[in-house]
Amino acid sequence: MEMEEKRSKKNALLLKLFLSTLYISSLTFGGGFVIVTFMKRKFVDELHWIDEQEMLDLAALAQSSPGAIAVNAAILVGWRVCGFAGMLTAVLGTILPPMLILSVISFFYAAFASNVYVALVLKGMQAGVAAVILDVVCGLGSNVFKEKSGLSIAIMAAAFAATFFFDVNVIYIILTAGIIGAGKAFWIYRKGKTA
């Protein structure tokens, strides 16, 4: 009886995860950073499955891993929420809408490509996407300032300057920030060991 109840709860959780990622993916235009915003609102703010710091960490991992940010984020969130089954469920919910939409678009590509109204809709969507990305940057950036860590603020400022002013490849920025973070963790570990 208890085993059936656990299985029922897990199935309900997986269904909620699937429907959440399906909903997010269906209504998200503009790429991975936009979907991370919606995931934060759904999984952190609404469902409280993960906290803000974890979402920030998951977004960083999703960005620094090869592949689409949306799928990487779904893998990480799904794994965190419900293990391997959650990972598969979240990925399925995330990839279904774009696969269906792109299949339809590719079938009617010639008609879409030459349509002036479709081009205007896409231009309008680009402006909205830019606003959503700016919202993510402000939200996640404010969390770095809340930590009151001089090193984290310096890394964020240096990363911004490197990419915005000097056009440094984002891979180098992420690797450098990761090495600095690992160095800080090692230093804290050594300091704690000698104390």
Side-chain angles (χ1 to χ4, degrees), residues 131-190:
V132 170
I133 291 172
L134 183 61
D135 178 52
V136 173
V137 169
C138 292
L140 295 178
S142 67
N143 288 337
V144 172
F145 282 108
K146 286 178 188 173
E147 287 178 16
K148 297 181 180 172
S149 165
L151 181 62
S152 295
I153 293 169
I155 290 171
M156 185 175 71
F160 173 78
T163 189
F164 190 77
F165 296 114
F166 304 110
D167 202 27
V168 175
N169 188 318
V170 71
I171 298 297
Y172 299 130
I173 295 170
I174 290 170
L175 288 174
T176 303
I179 290 168
I180 293 169
K184 179 182 176 184
F186 182 71
W187 181 75
I188 291 171
Y189 171 75
R190 293 284 300 211

Side-chain angles (χ1 to χ4, degrees), residues 2-3 7 19-20 22 31 35 38 41 51 62 67 73 121 125 141 181 187:
E2 189 178 315
M3 190 70 126
R7 186 177 295 127
L19 292 175
S20 297
L22 185 74
I35 205 166
F38 284 100
R41 288 195 180 134
D51 63 31
V121 167
M125 289 168 69
W187 181 75

